[in-house]
């Protein structure tokens, strides 16, 4: 990432995304916090970006940068989708399954298509994924399946970027292997990771052009 170009955090109103945005700003980075819903108290160094659809997002980012006198982003962090526990997969409502595919997988592809053109060659695009992408969890089948699909999506985007040569962005997956501390949706997790640990690992990916394709925290 070049100089003081901001980091664009997509999904900045969510539990993880909001903490990532605040944590990156606390580390001295300029942050563009993009969300459809009103943001929690973002704090200093965070520029809010409100949008309605992913198609609107690039223009919303440009407008926010213009208002703030900031350059276009030098990195994207996609914290899209969340986690829930409900019915067994065979009993899950078909409409809920379709909605989860759209919100947890297709939305990531749509965001990458829309936002990659804002970045310069070699800039990082980091997708945040969770432990359900690697571990089967009863009652969270749709999350597990879309998480696994998301991991493959990032691999394909990275491979295709490599084949495109030096003019492409670099794609990474940051996997949070345990529940994020303080999230009351998790019942008695065996282990937790703090938001600070997530932000620290993310910062290393953003700053190191040779960072691994997949980073676990």
């Amino acid at each position: 990432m070049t100089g003081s170009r901001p980091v664009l955090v997509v999904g900045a109103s969510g539990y993880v995304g909001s903490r990532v945005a605040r944590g990156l700003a606390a580390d001295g980075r300029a942050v563009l916090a993009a969300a459809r819903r009103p943001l929690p108290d973002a704090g200093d160094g965070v520029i809010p970006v409100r949008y309605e659809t992913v198609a609107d997002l690039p223009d919303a980012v440009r407008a926010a940068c213009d208002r703030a006198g900031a350059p276009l982003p030098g990195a994207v962090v996609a914290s899209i989708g969340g986690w829930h526990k409900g019915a067994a997969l065979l009993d899950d409502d078909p409409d809920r399954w379709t909605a989860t595919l759209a919100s947890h997988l297709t939305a990531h592809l749509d965001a990458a298509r829309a936002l990659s053109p804002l970045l310069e060659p070699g800039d990082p695009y980091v997708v945040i994924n969770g432990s359900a992408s690697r571990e089967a969890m009863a009652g969270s089948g749709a999350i597990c399946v879309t998480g696994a699909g998301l991991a493959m999506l990032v691999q394909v985007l990275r491979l295709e970027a490599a084949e495109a040569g030096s003019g492409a962005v670099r794609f990474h997956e940051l996997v949070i292997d345990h529940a994020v501390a303080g999230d009351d949706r998790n019942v008695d997790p065996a282990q937790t990771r703090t938001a600070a640990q997530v932000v620290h690992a993310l910062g290393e990916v953003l700053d190191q052009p040779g960072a691994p394709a997949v980073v676990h925290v």
Side-chain angles (χ1 to χ4, degrees), residues 13-180:
S13 62
Y15 187 86
V16 174
S18 62
R19 283 153 180 80
V20 164
R22 290 199 300 267
L24 291 173
D27 283 347
R29 301 174 192 267
V31 174
L32 294 158
R36 291 188 178 93
R37 302 192 303 272
L39 294 170
D41 181 22
D44 295 335
V46 177
I47 302 166
V49 180
R50 289 293 303 278
Y51 70 99
E52 296 298 325
T53 68
V54 173
D56 302 329
L57 186 49
D59 286 342
V61 170
R62 293 186 184 96
C65 289
D66 286 344
R67 288 193 300 269
L72 288 175
V76 173
V77 176
S79 181
I80 301 172
W83 180 84
H84 63 256
K85 188 170 183 177
L89 196 54
L90 293 180
D91 299 326
D92 203 3
D93 181 86
D95 290 338
R96 183 181 177 93
W97 165 265
T98 300
T100 303
L101 287 177
S103 62
H104 286 62
L105 185 55
T106 304
H108 274 283
L109 179 57
D110 291 342
R113 283 174 171 158
L115 298 174
S116 293
L118 297 179
L119 301 176
E120 296 180 1
D123 284 343
Y125 191 112
V126 185
V127 171
I128 294 181
N129 210 343
S131 59
S133 63
R134 270 75 177 174
E135 177 186 355
M137 297 182 180
S140 296
I143 306 300
C144 295
V145 172
T146 53
L150 179 58
M152 181 56 70
L153 174 65
V154 178
Q155 288 185 50
V156 173
L157 291 175
R158 186 177 176 92
L159 176 62
E160 292 176 343
E163 291 182 349
S166 59
V169 302
R170 52 184 176 95
F171 289 92
H172 300 268
E173 181 192 16
L174 179 69
V175 186
I176 306 173
D177 285 322
H178 301 282
V180 178

